[in-house]
Amino acid sequence: MYRIIHKEILSESVKLFIVEAPVVARKARAGQFVIVRNDEYGERIPLTIADYDSEAGTITLIFQEVGKSTMQMGTFEVGDSYENIAGPLGHATEIENYGKVVMVGGGVGIAPIFPITRALKQAGNQVISIIGARSKELLFWEGRMQEYSDELIVCTDDGSAGRKALVTEPLKEVLEANRDAAKVWAIGPAIMMKFTCLTTKPFNVPTIVSLNTVMVDGTGMCGGCRVAMEGGARFVCVDGPEFDGHIVDWDILLERMSFYRSEEQLATKQWLDHQCKLDKAAEAAE
Amino acid sequence: MPQKKINPTRTPMPEQPAKERIRNFNEVTHGYSEEMAVNEAIRCLQCARPTCIQGCPVNIDIPRFLAHVANQEFQDAIDVIKKTNCLPAITGRVCPQENQCEGVCVLAKKYEPVAIGRVERFVADWEAEHGKPAAVNPAKPSGKKAAVIGAGPAGLTAAADLAKKGHQVTVFEALHKAGGVLSYGIPDFRLPTDVVRREVDYVTSLGVEIKKDFVVGMAATIDELLEEYDAIFIGTGAGLPWFLGLPGENLGGVYSANEYLTRSNLMKAYLFPKYDTPIAIGERVITIGGGNTAMDAARTALRLGARDSIIVYRRSKAEMPARAEEVEHAGQEGVQFHFLTSPVAYHGQKGRVQSLECIKNELGEPDASGRRRPVPVEGSNFQIEADVIIVAIGQSPSPIIAKTTQIDTGKGGILLVDKETMKTSKKGVFAGGDIITGGATVILAMGQAKIAAAAMDEYLRTGIWEKAEEADTESA
């Protein structure tokens, strides 16, 4: 079993677990992911490995509660276990000294951008980071990002923390002021990554995105995670999860990601109704 | 044997009526009763030179087990089978017997062949219900450790054989459940989950350890495993699904058969939302392909609630590679067949597929497979409406292992082996099943695994590995 030994609430809907998964921890590297399953009824969900400690045999998982499975995960406490964790999966980020790099993390994407930022900084890069979220409550890890960035720009959609802007605004300014930027990494909601790529395209700066599509097995068996891009469809699980964002067909990706929306809404509603009944039963018992 | 009057026809298999069974995932066939099994077994001529044994990829002593069944000695019958086949409840259900043992049965020249598969299944199910607990004959521990990659038919067979020889065996399985294609691919209505679990339990009862959630190549490479294990068997199957590469293939609602079947079988999406994994329930579902996987997908679609389930196959009925019984069952259940039809493009709106554009074919000269080649008829394009389209045109081996270790591969990424021993180009590493063929049957995979296990046993005992240069590295 994969026991949770630490839980942190990072923001309103974003939670962090440190989980015992020695097999994964031994080989994990920045940029890779795991497939987790909550319980015997659970679906297989890809989650980025936000951090790892090979000696302690633990990995750090961060997730945003967006539907039934992640809401259920959010109710797990220290001592609870995941039914399954398989990994590490996918290719690791290619870490080297590129010179000057720009890191863009949006919402829960701040979690996976952090270990890459740290690794790039440790490899000698000059790092400019931009992190953003809808509001202050959804931001986290400004301190950790600051520690490994030469410059950190924080922004929120509503201006409740940092600059009132989408990440693409400061990104454009940064690229205008830093024509020598060698590479951009962008991780966050698909729509954010799409517009980040549109922003970086005129500057002709290679932009790496980490895709988090629907998956089942995570080992190249189902093809459900396939993404259309120049040169044909690729599988996120075995060809990715990082890709050159400038060749991804974002519109097809966004459409594929919303394919199960009605099923997700149904499962979420059932879960919330169930939780509501549990709460009432607990109240009645008191 | 005294002269006897042979019943020219096989004992019919009791099954759920088609109208009923398309509303559930329960097994289609109920299996023989004791009386039926005996009646079928006495049809065997007990040939002095039986052809059926050679027709069986794992060489079961078929006349002998049938003779035991005819005498109602069911325990003896299963003991005969289990000498060479550790998964009889599975092979009795999914083997293409018409091309193997039953195809070469002497009776088939005049009458219907003995229904060997059905009797095999009866005996295996009888054992599960009445038999003595699996006899674990504790071989003297060899002190050697073997790793088996993949808990599918090949891996389970190799693991069982190696354990019986006294080796300590660990199976590494990438998924959360053992069984490989038996768990993720073949639907419950053809091979119930309980049957697979029973056979996996038998293998673990021999002392085999199964480590799940372990993706070899990622969590540990073959080279790393070789530091801990004395020999390795790779049975990772053919998991990489093929797509047609046609316009519109990335529309929502277009699935690989692997994904569609994995969602339904392994993840139990047919019980959504009790189980978390969703699946698109199409009104009109098209499955592209003519193999067993295509039949499984098309029949799954009906059970999920599709009004129409349509098979599109580029050749004619005669060239279909699916098991005869599956094609027949699919037809009974109302699956519609469009033969001599090839897909050209997928069409849809707002990210969802709405139709499949096809072209009609004529049969031309035989191709490399010996089957007549389909030739498109120009201008014959037409559309078939569908909201779910399943691509079941085949698959190739998962590349993860070959990419993460130095090992010789052939066409389509198969591992190259010496067919006599199943040795790969890497010392101490053997392979069998779909990883060396690119996609065949459960029983062929098991046969190769048995050859490999025997050679592995010898290697583990002697430590002698002939030079790779001498190995015949022709693909199987």
Side-chain angles (χ1 to χ4, degrees):
Chain A
M1 293 297 263
Y2 307 89
R3 206 162 54 96
I4 295 162
I5 59 167
H6 177 78
K7 178 178 182 177
E8 251 176 74
I9 316 284
L10 295 185
S11 77
E12 208 171 65
S13 62
V14 178
K15 291 176 179 166
L16 173 151
F17 288 148
I18 297 179
V19 190
E20 289 174 347
V23 167
V24 181
R26 202 171 52 202
K27 297 279 280 194
R29 281 185 293 152
Q32 291 186 297
F33 68 96
V34 288
I35 291 272
V36 307
R37 218 161 65 102
N38 289 347
D39 57 27
E40 61 172 314
Y41 302 103
E43 56 186 333
R44 294 173 65 94
I45 307 161
L47 289 178
T48 307
I49 301 170
D51 211 342
Y52 50 88
D53 182 336
S54 43
E55 274 175 32
T58 59
I59 57 170
T60 302
L61 300 177
I62 295 172
F63 59 93
Q64 181 165 23
E65 296 178 7
V66 291
K68 191 258 165 180
S69 294
T70 42
M71 286 176 185
Q72 180 188 16
M73 214 182 277
T75 67
F76 287 1
E77 299 297 340
V78 169
D80 290 341
S81 293
Y82 281 96
E83 183 82 12
N84 305 94
I85 298 183
L89 300 169
H91 292 284
T93 307
E94 285 172 30
I95 303 292
E96 53 183 274
N97 191 350
Y98 298 98
K100 189 181 280 183
V101 296
V102 182
M103 313 304 290
V104 185
V108 72
I110 300 167
I113 206 85
F114 168 70
I116 302 173
T117 305
R118 181 178 57 190
L120 286 167
K121 180 67 195 165
Q122 287 168 345
N125 288 278
Q126 191 189 337
V127 178
I128 303 170
S129 297
I130 303 166
I131 59 171
R134 277 206 313 279
S135 66
K136 190 183 172 205
E137 290 72 37
L138 294 166
L139 265 183
F140 57 93
W141 282 9
E142 294 105 300
R144 288 185 122 188
M145 287 298 291
Q146 184 72 70
E147 196 184 338
Y148 294 99
S149 304
D150 295 279
E151 186 187 346
L152 174 72
I153 300 164
V154 176
C155 51
T156 50
D157 297 9
D158 64 0
S160 55
R163 237 174 106 171
K164 183 176 191 294
L166 300 172
V167 289
T168 44
E169 258 182 67
L171 174 62
K172 191 170 174 221
E173 294 161 13
V174 164
L175 293 176
E176 274 163 356
N178 296 275
R179 293 282 169 174
D180 55 340
K183 231 167 184 168
V184 173
W185 267 264
I187 308 182
I191 191 80
M192 180 214 98
M193 292 192 279
K194 172 184 170 175
F195 282 100
T196 299
C197 291
L198 287 174
T199 305
T200 61
K201 184 83 183 154
F203 294 94
N204 214 13
V205 50
T207 302
I208 307 293
V209 295
S210 178
L211 302 180
N212 191 351
T213 50
V214 170
M215 276 185 201
V216 186
D217 61 288
T219 65
M221 259 178 49
C222 81
C225 65
R226 66 191 185 276
V227 174
M229 56 185 77
E230 277 173 32
R234 308 283 296 278
F235 290 1
V236 172
C237 63
V238 287
D239 299 324
E242 293 190 352
F243 292 99
D244 171 358
H246 290 146
I247 64 165
V248 171
D249 187 325
W250 292 99
D251 295 334
I252 292 181
L253 178 91
L254 285 159
E255 282 168 354
R256 282 188 70 80
M257 287 187 76
S258 64
F259 182 70
Y260 292 107
R261 186 162 291 157
S262 61
E263 287 85 356
E264 281 160 8
Q265 283 167 350
L266 172 71
T268 304
K269 186 179 176 301
Q270 284 211 352
W271 168 257
L272 291 172
D273 289 351
H274 175 69
Q275 290 304 100
C276 186
K277 275 186 206 150
L278 283 181
D279 289 348
K280 277 189 188 145
E283 266 172 43
E286 271 169 19
Chain B
M1 289 289 275
Q3 277 292 49
K4 60 181 178 184
K5 195 167 182 309
I6 301 287
N7 185 347
T9 54
R10 298 140 71 96
T11 313
M13 180 65 129
E15 56 188 37
Q16 285 194 69
K19 270 192 182 153
E20 227 168 75
R21 71 186 190 233
I22 57 168
R23 284 191 226 102
N24 66 55
F25 276 83
N26 300 336
E27 193 169 13
V28 167
T29 52
H30 297 307
Y32 278 170
S33 64
E34 286 190 13
E35 190 190 348
M36 291 173 186
V38 171
N39 283 340
E40 189 58 27
I42 56 177
R43 294 183 64 230
C44 175
L45 295 176
Q46 294 293 324
C47 306
R49 285 193 202 85
T51 47
C52 50
I53 301 178
Q54 273 74 52
C56 172
V58 294
N59 305 119
I60 295 174
D61 190 343
I62 293 165
R64 240 183 104 205
F65 99 74
L66 287 174
H68 283 305
V69 173
N71 292 330
Q72 301 189 45
E73 298 154 357
F74 305 130
Q75 183 66 53
D76 296 327
I78 190 69
D79 289 344
V80 169
I81 295 173
K82 284 216 162 161
K83 267 189 199 151
T84 53
N85 178 0
C86 65
L87 311 170
I90 292 167
T91 51
R93 286 169 165 89
V94 304
C95 265
Q97 287 98 0
E98 70 262 30
N99 303 327
Q100 299 172 351
C101 54
E102 295 176 17
V104 293
C105 172
V106 170
L107 266 190
K109 285 180 187 156
K110 236 174 127 182
Y111 306 129
E112 288 182 355
V114 179
I116 299 165
R118 293 172 179 180
V119 181
E120 178 188 26
R121 172 190 158 171
F122 162 79
V123 175
D125 290 353
W126 180 91
E127 188 201 25
E129 219 174 302
H130 310 280
K132 59 175 194 240
V136 187
N137 36 343
K140 209 171 129 233
S142 68
K144 298 286 180 183
K145 289 170 78 176
V148 170
I149 322 300
L156 291 172
T157 302
D161 280 10
L162 289 165
K164 283 179 189 165
K165 298 278 187 189
H167 307 299
Q168 190 187 330
V169 186
T170 305
V171 180
F172 295 90
E173 168 56 47
L175 293 173
H176 57 264
K177 198 171 173 188
V181 73
L182 309 171
S183 287
Y184 74 76
I186 303 177
D188 278 9
F189 57 82
R190 200 147 78 79
L191 182 63
T193 308
D194 286 346
V195 174
V196 180
R197 188 178 334 148
R198 203 163 81 201
E199 304 291 54
V200 171
D201 286 349
Y202 166 70
V203 175
T204 52
S205 79
L206 299 169
V208 171
E209 183 198 6
I210 301 181
K211 275 193 184 165
K212 293 168 198 163
D213 303 331
F214 199 111
V215 185
V216 172
M218 302 303 294
T221 61
I222 291 291
D223 301 83
E224 285 162 340
L225 290 178
L226 277 173
E227 288 168 20
E228 199 184 331
Y229 295 90
D230 303 299
I232 296 179
F233 174 80
I234 302 176
T236 45
L240 190 74
W242 292 348
F243 286 93
L244 287 156
L246 296 174
E249 198 149 48
N250 298 310
L251 284 161
V254 179
Y255 288 98
S256 73
N258 267 6
E259 179 181 3
Y260 190 75
L261 292 171
T262 300
R263 283 179 181 272
S264 181
N265 302 331
L266 179 73
M267 307 310 295
K268 301 273 176 265
Y270 67 87
L271 297 172
F272 176 86
K274 185 186 173 195
Y275 284 76
D276 292 341
T277 304
I279 192 166
I281 312 288
E283 277 265 302
R284 278 170 67 80
V285 178
I286 295 176
T287 305
I288 303 165
N292 286 322
T293 308
M295 299 306 121
D296 287 345
R299 296 169 70 198
T300 295
L302 285 177
R303 286 159 173 79
L304 285 170
R307 199 183 63 226
D308 296 302
S309 179
I310 301 151
I311 294 256
V312 165
Y313 180 52
R314 62 197 179 120
R315 306 183 201 244
S316 74
K317 187 171 184 179
E319 288 87 20
M320 281 178 103
R323 254 176 119 227
E325 189 181 70
E326 308 312 327
V327 180
E328 192 190 316
H329 278 153
Q332 289 167 357
E333 291 168 10
V335 172
Q336 302 155 44
F337 292 87
H338 283 256
F339 293 114
L340 293 168
T341 304
S342 286
V344 179
Y346 308 83
H347 299 290
Q349 255 186 354
K350 293 184 182 158
R352 289 181 174 253
V353 76
Q354 289 176 323
S355 70
L356 183 67
E357 183 182 339
C358 298
I359 192 163
K360 290 302 258 175
N361 293 324
E362 289 170 346
L363 283 183
E365 294 300 306
D367 62 14
S369 74
R371 296 176 298 177
R372 293 180 65 193
R373 186 194 306 272
V375 183
V377 180
E378 226 174 288
S380 66
N381 295 43
F382 68 106
Q383 303 262 342
I384 312 174
E385 274 181 44
D387 46 1
V388 168
I389 298 180
I390 303 157
V391 186
I393 55 164
Q395 55 272 317
S396 45
S398 160
I400 292 182
I401 284 185
K403 268 188 193 166
T404 51
T405 191
Q406 190 70 42
I407 198 161
D408 288 353
T409 56
K411 204 176 157 220
I414 57 167
L415 297 186
L416 295 179
V417 297
D418 162 27
K419 276 181 273 180
E420 303 290 307
T421 59
M422 301 294 153
K423 284 177 181 170
T424 66
S425 61
K426 197 176 194 74
K427 188 181 176 193
V429 181
F430 301 72
D434 284 358
I435 184 77
I436 66 162
T437 56
T441 59
V442 167
I443 192 70
L444 279 173
M446 291 171 58
Q448 291 155 358
K450 293 195 85 67
I451 295 171
M456 278 173 90
D457 175 51
E458 194 184 316
Y459 171 67
L460 286 168
R461 280 186 293 104
T462 63
I464 298 169
W465 180 274
E466 51 184 12
K467 273 183 284 173
E469 293 84 49
E470 287 170 18
D472 163 26
T473 47
E474 281 295 301
S475 67

